[in-house]
Amino acid sequence: MKFSAYAIAALLSALLFAPACFAQAADEEQQARLAEIKQRIETLQQELNQVKSERDQLLKDLEANEKDISELLQRIDKIKSDMQSRGQKLQELKQEEKQLEESRRSMQRRVEQEVAAAYRLGRQEQIKLLLNQQDPQHIARQLRYHDYFLKQRSRVIDDYVSTLSELETVSSGIQREQDTLARERDQLEDKRRALTSAQQARQRTLDKLATQLASKSGELDKLHGDRSRLQRLVDEVGRAIANLINPSDQTPFAKQRGRMQWPTQGRRANAFGQRRANGITWTGVTIRANEGNPVQAIHRGRVVFSDYLRGQGMLIILDHGDGYMSLYGHNQSLTRAIGEWVERGDTIAKVGNTGGLSHSGLYFEIRRHGKPQDPTAWCRG
């Protein structure tokens, strides 16, 4: 069978663009699945957060308080970062202004000298040279020298004018940066006052909750509820991500057993499987750490949950493929969103005390197919 040149070209074009089309279709399918995950999680959270008692309402109030605090802290960090960048730029502009001012003074002296020289020679320098009774070749040389000095004088004056213009631009830039910094300082103070108010509201809610949970049965009910919510979330996420495609070049999580770093520096307050005073065993490890310390991903993975969960506070979950997930709870704030890929060591959150903790720390779990694993078997040190 013979093919025309046009048919062959069309076939080659189809073969070349087919992988790109398939890749685009696969990416769109992945995005659609991620959107579906978000929707399923939102539906589950609405169910888990239903108010059934006064304690449930207090927990809902606590969630609102802690979300407000987390958002305010993120805004404060953003303003501080902006202020730091502007402060650095302001210093650079001031240094540039200083250098330009030095150049301006130097150039001004040169301009004054050129003006004085021009005044001494008068306005008819070339005519005077021509009228002098001298050798024509000597006159020609003198005229060339004279022309050179005129051009040099013009360049000196042009450079001086240009420097004055640059200096004016830099001075205006300094004023703008100073005005912006002043506004950002005001915004920072406003956010700090709002943060203080939100923290006071959180403490009032915690005091009311403490009264509700004064009995052992009340505390036990809360712990059972917290564990049940977390398990339902993990199960739902596991089902939702079952069909997501992971990169083929990713190092399997299982091969990193015993080689990974802990997600943050601090003292481990409990052991995996340790019995608590109320009879419930720990399914993860709490790491006591300073508020605001970075929380880092223990292995490459995709964010499949990044939100508040009652009992866990600001929680982020990473999917590492092959049924493995890592969970990081009680954070002050979260820095990654659902669908984002993170590398080992990337900062994904900041240590906090959300979820009603009285101290700051990170709650950390590793799970496989929804079942808790001992983190000490996976992380070094």
Side-chain angles (χ1 to χ4, degrees):
M1 182 181 291
K2 294 183 178 179
F3 294 95
S4 67
Y6 177 80
I8 292 173
L11 179 61
L12 287 173
S13 177
L15 290 172
L16 287 170
F17 286 104
C21 293
F22 288 143
Q24 182 179 358
D27 184 62
E28 290 175 354
E29 184 180 356
Q30 290 283 84
Q31 293 302 319
R33 286 177 178 172
L34 287 171
E36 181 184 352
I37 291 173
K38 290 181 184 179
Q39 184 59 50
R40 289 169 70 173
I41 288 173
E42 287 175 5
T43 302
L44 177 63
Q45 282 184 293
Q46 289 173 3
E47 181 183 343
L48 292 175
N49 289 339
Q50 285 181 354
V51 177
K52 299 175 182 177
S53 66
E54 183 181 354
R55 189 181 70 196
D56 288 334
Q57 181 59 57
L58 287 172
L59 289 168
K60 194 171 182 67
D61 292 342
L62 179 64
E63 176 181 348
N65 295 152
E66 293 185 334
K67 277 186 170 181
D68 287 344
I69 290 170
S70 179
E71 184 179 349
L72 284 166
L73 286 169
Q74 284 181 305
R75 288 182 180 178
I76 286 172
D77 285 345
K78 177 66 166 58
I79 292 172
K80 283 181 177 178
S81 177
D82 289 345
M83 288 178 68
Q84 185 176 3
S85 297
R86 291 194 181 279
Q88 184 176 351
K89 185 177 179 181
L90 185 60
Q91 291 303 314
E92 290 171 357
L93 285 171
K94 286 184 175 179
Q95 182 63 29
E96 186 178 354
E97 182 186 42
K98 181 180 177 181
Q99 292 172 352
L100 284 169
E101 180 59 30
E102 291 174 356
S103 297
R104 185 199 66 78
R105 286 196 296 266
S106 176
M107 287 181 179
Q108 184 173 350
R109 288 192 293 270
R110 291 182 62 188
V111 168
E112 289 171 352
Q113 291 169 0
E114 293 294 339
V115 171
Y119 178 78
R120 286 194 301 271
L121 290 173
R123 297 182 179 180
Q124 307 297 326
E125 295 105 324
Q126 289 184 331
I127 295 174
K128 289 179 180 179
L129 286 171
L130 289 171
L131 291 177
N132 284 339
Q133 300 296 319
Q134 293 183 11
D135 179 67
Q137 290 185 353
H138 178 71
I139 291 173
R141 284 197 301 273
Q142 290 291 92
L143 285 173
R144 283 197 298 272
Y145 293 152
H146 180 72
D147 186 53
Y148 168 78
F149 287 130
L150 283 177
K151 288 179 180 178
Q152 181 65 21
R153 184 183 302 162
S154 177
R155 279 196 294 271
V156 168
I157 294 172
D158 288 344
D159 288 346
Y160 181 63
V161 172
S162 176
T163 300
L164 288 176
S165 178
E166 287 183 48
L167 191 55
E168 183 178 359
T169 301
V170 170
S171 297
S172 299
I174 288 174
Q175 188 59 53
R176 283 195 302 272
E177 293 298 327
Q178 287 175 333
D179 292 342
T180 304
L181 270 173
R183 288 195 298 271
E184 288 179 339
R185 286 192 192 96
D186 291 341
Q187 291 175 7
L188 184 59
E189 287 307 311
D190 288 343
K191 297 303 178 190
R192 281 174 172 162
R193 283 193 290 270
L195 177 62
T196 300
S197 177
Q199 288 170 333
Q200 290 171 346
R202 174 183 183 269
Q203 189 57 52
R204 289 194 294 271
T205 304
L206 285 174
D207 292 342
K208 292 177 183 178
L209 268 172
T211 303
Q212 286 279 332
L213 301 174
S215 66
K216 286 188 177 180
S217 60
E219 184 180 1
L220 189 61
D221 287 346
K222 178 184 179 300
L223 291 173
H224 276 301
D226 293 346
R227 173 169 291 189
S228 175
R229 272 187 293 274
L230 182 59
Q231 188 63 54
R232 286 191 62 185
L233 174 65
V234 169
D235 291 342
E236 181 64 27
V237 168
R239 285 191 293 270
I241 66 175
N243 295 322
L244 285 177
I245 301 171
N246 287 314
S248 57
D249 61 346
Q250 180 169 326
T251 302
F253 189 88
K255 288 189 175 181
Q256 297 300 306
R257 186 181 179 90
R259 300 178 182 177
M260 292 180 280
Q261 299 290 335
W262 289 92
T264 195
Q265 296 295 319
R267 179 179 63 84
R268 296 195 287 278
N270 67 274
F272 175 82
Q274 180 181 340
R275 291 181 64 84
R276 303 172 72 167
N278 42 41
I280 292 180
T281 57
W282 287 97
T283 56
V285 173
T286 300
I287 303 171
R288 292 287 183 90
N290 293 329
E291 191 170 351
N293 278 9
V295 177
Q296 298 171 325
I298 60 169
H299 187 68
R300 187 171 195 266
R302 176 169 23 208
V303 179
V304 291
F305 185 85
S306 180
D307 205 342
Y308 193 97
L309 181 69
R310 190 177 299 174
Q312 300 300 323
M314 302 301 289
L315 172 70
I316 188 165
I317 301 177
L318 303 183
D319 168 41
H320 303 290
D322 298 327
Y324 287 100
M325 289 189 290
S326 55
L327 294 74
Y328 313 77
H330 300 306
N331 298 288
Q332 179 191 86
S333 59
L334 309 174
T335 61
R336 301 301 182 115
I338 285 183
E340 286 189 48
W341 282 96
V342 296
E343 301 297 330
R344 175 179 179 174
D346 283 353
T347 297
I348 56 176
K350 291 185 177 182
V351 172
N353 60 358
T354 57
L357 290 188
S358 58
H359 54 79
S360 63
L362 174 72
Y363 181 67
F364 173 58
E365 283 191 4
I366 295 175
R367 296 200 178 207
R368 187 185 185 199
H369 300 306
K371 295 182 179 179
Q373 308 283 304
D374 185 354
T376 58
W378 295 88
C379 298
R380 297 183 299 187

